[in-house]
Amino acid sequence: MQTRTFQTTIYRDHGMCFIPVPFDPKPVFGKVRAPVKVTLNGYTYRSTISATGGSVFIPLRKSNREAAGLEGSETLRVRLDLDADKREVKPPADLVKALKAAPPAWERWKELSFTRQREYAEAVTGAKKPETRARRVEGAARAVAARPASKRR
């Protein structure tokens, strides 16, 4: 398994937080935008290495930062493992029902990236009120149905 451990300082500026990657990931993981399992303070989450404007980094969402017991701006050891496991999201039942009831939404859902599927699913499951959840389910089904078919067939 391709693995790399390094020490770095987490960057945090208001709501934005990321982990700088101080090496070229291509020789280690086979590509720059590699899917990885990130381990911080004993907590592991799945992400993808990003590269923008010459900087290489890993996004650190608030939920992952808090689960690792971090505030942001800490200096710590980070372990990256190539993530070869299949990435799939199990959407909540009410979202599946709405997607299947709004053709071609279910087919478009299956074409979405792991990240987009996760974002829609988390928006639905994160709703505190039933009416908010219903509104998010309806909005997600409508947005997914409106997407053009993937050209990668």
Side-chain angles (χ1 to χ4, degrees):
M1 173 182 275
Q2 293 111 325
T3 298
R4 185 75 181 259
T5 302
F6 57 95
Q7 184 149 334
T8 193
T9 300
I10 296 172
Y11 178 86
R12 181 174 180 190
D13 184 15
H14 304 289
M16 182 179 75
C17 200
F18 64 85
I19 303 163
V21 176
F23 61 91
D24 180 1
K26 188 170 184 176
V28 179
F29 300 116
K31 59 184 177 177
V32 174
R33 289 189 36 79
V36 290
K37 292 181 182 176
V38 183
T39 302
L40 311 165
N41 273 358
Y43 173 76
T44 301
Y45 71 97
R46 300 171 88 180
S47 191
T48 301
I49 298 173
S50 297
T52 304
S55 297
V56 180
F57 58 92
I58 300 164
L60 181 56
R61 294 172 43 171
K62 181 181 178 184
S63 59
N64 291 322
R65 182 174 47 81
E66 290 175 347
L70 301 170
E71 292 292 322
S73 75
E74 292 91 347
T75 298
L76 71 159
R77 295 189 65 71
V78 177
R79 177 181 166 143
L80 301 181
D81 296 293
L82 183 64
D83 187 358
D85 297 340
K86 183 176 180 181
R87 292 181 171 208
E88 58 186 355
V89 173
K90 185 174 191 290
D94 51 348
L95 180 56
V96 171
K97 183 177 178 182
L99 291 167
K100 288 184 176 180
W106 183 244
E107 291 305 313
R108 299 296 178 269
W109 171 267
K110 294 188 278 185
E111 296 170 354
L112 293 175
S113 69
F114 167 78
T115 301
R116 292 297 295 150
Q117 287 184 355
R118 185 191 70 216
E119 288 169 347
Y120 280 121
E122 286 179 354
V124 169
T125 58
K128 293 179 178 66
K129 297 179 181 177
E131 55 272 17
T132 303
R133 184 178 177 114
R135 189 173 58 250
R136 290 180 182 177
V137 165
E138 180 184 328
R142 189 173 46 252
V144 173
R147 294 179 57 88
S150 174
K151 296 178 184 174
R152 295 184 291 182
R153 289 192 163 214

